[in-house]
Amino acid sequence: MDKSTLELMPKVIELNNGEQWNDAERNILLDDEWAREVGRESRLPTVRLWRHAPVQGLVVSKRDVAGDQGQLAMESMAKTGWPIIVRPTGGTAVPHGSGVLNLSMLFPRRAEKATTDAFYRLLCQPMIDWLKSMGMNATTGALPGSYCDGNYNVLVDGKKLVGTAQAWRGGLAGTASRHPGYVLAHACIMVDVDLAQATDAINRFYSEVGDPYRVDASTSTTLRHLVRTHGIANEYTAAMAQTDFTQFLKTYYEGQGITVQMAR
């Protein structure tokens, strides 16, 4: 990680695997709740590595469901077994379920100059290095046709493995601020997902909201598929990935002089 990007990392962080498996919506919105605490300085800057609750569905931005047609689409999708959950970050729809591993960085907004690009690099570089440690060549870049496309997709073998999004809220961090600010940078790692079904659900949702946006399943891949094709393992689950990546992150950050406190 380059020096200017690394300077955005807090000197002390909490590494947390906290999950709310009995409530899929709260499990997602926990990011925003904890990020507000980070902004108020009642919680350490937090790196959260967590799995979605075992409920199949789509996570979308507020813009996607704005208006009456959006609300009707939410009702219709729920009836077909693809409930919609609205997230605090932007971007377009992504699948959720127990086969998805999420990386969330919840950091305070500081006075130092920073850009969304810098925070995306801060988010993506550990994933790139983790994949490299397993023998995969990963990079970032846009991939037209992929779900929630952006310049900071993480790509392996020319296909999208990870989607990313970001949200900035409030002003500068600290208890003196009326609305303490935070940065929420988020990544969804597709570990074991039926991409054909998920893509069909995404396209159906956008059709129902009257949006011409469509995605192509062939542009994306899963970590389970990659570890098989690269001869790393025959089986790989989100739980296995969570354990492996947590251990990697602890060593990774400590190697850069950052104090890591593991959540109890």
Side-chain angles (χ1 to χ4, degrees):
M1 192 179 298
D2 64 85
K3 184 178 179 181
S4 61
T5 301
L6 184 59
E7 287 174 351
L8 295 176
M9 277 295 298
K11 300 304 180 186
V12 181
I13 64 168
E14 177 179 281
L15 185 54
N16 196 312
N17 291 141
E19 299 166 337
Q20 293 280 333
W21 268 42
N22 60 336
D23 188 333
E25 184 170 12
R26 175 162 167 71
N27 197 32
I28 293 168
L29 298 181
L30 202 57
D31 272 355
D32 209 34
E33 179 181 321
W34 285 3
R36 288 194 296 270
E37 294 176 6
V38 169
R40 293 194 299 267
E41 298 182 342
S42 59
R43 172 184 287 274
L44 283 174
T46 299
V47 175
R48 181 185 176 210
L49 191 62
W50 54 285
R51 295 165 296 164
H52 276 297
V55 178
Q56 172 182 271
L58 298 178
V59 183
V60 306
S61 67
K62 292 179 181 178
R63 180 189 66 83
D64 280 335
V65 292
D68 292 342
Q69 197 163 353
Q71 297 304 306
L72 290 172
M74 289 181 70
E75 295 174 10
S76 174
M77 292 299 293
K79 291 177 182 177
T80 63
W82 286 89
I84 303 295
I85 295 177
V86 181
R87 64 175 181 260
T89 51
T92 51
V94 297
H96 79 79
S98 58
V100 179
L101 181 65
N102 301 270
L103 174 65
S104 303
M105 288 185 169
L106 319 174
F107 290 167
R109 288 191 65 176
R110 298 298 187 191
E112 296 91 342
K113 291 183 179 179
T115 64
T116 55
D117 282 349
F119 274 99
Y120 274 127
R121 291 194 297 270
L122 202 65
L123 176 71
C124 292
Q125 194 60 53
M127 290 185 287
I128 291 171
D129 291 346
W130 176 49
L131 293 165
K132 183 178 178 180
S133 75
M134 290 192 284
M136 301 181 209
N137 184 23
T139 187
T140 56
L143 185 60
S146 65
Y147 65 90
C148 199
D149 189 26
N151 291 332
Y152 288 94
N153 300 321
V154 176
L155 310 174
V156 180
D157 297 343
K159 294 194 174 187
K160 178 171 180 170
L161 174 65
V162 183
T164 59
Q166 200 172 141
W168 293 42
R169 299 284 187 264
L172 298 181
T175 53
S177 300
R178 184 174 180 183
H179 299 290
Y182 60 85
V183 177
L184 194 174
H186 178 75
C188 291
I189 306 169
M190 298 292 124
V191 180
D192 186 9
V193 177
D194 187 325
L195 291 172
Q197 284 189 8
T199 297
D200 179 67
I202 291 171
N203 289 338
R204 190 164 65 250
F205 167 73
Y206 283 107
S207 175
E208 297 208 12
V209 298
D211 190 322
Y213 172 76
R214 298 291 185 273
V215 297
D216 179 357
S218 68
T219 59
S220 301
T221 189
T222 66
L223 192 52
R224 181 172 180 261
H225 172 76
L226 289 169
V227 297
R228 286 180 171 180
T229 57
H230 283 259
I232 298 166
N234 290 325
E235 192 58 56
Y236 208 60
T237 65
M240 294 166 67
Q242 183 183 42
T243 298
D244 292 346
F245 197 17
T246 299
Q247 293 172 347
F248 177 88
L249 285 173
K250 184 175 187 299
T251 302
Y252 182 85
Y253 289 132
E254 289 176 341
Q256 298 180 54
I258 297 163
T259 299
V260 178
Q261 295 188 12
M262 301 298 296
R264 296 180 180 179

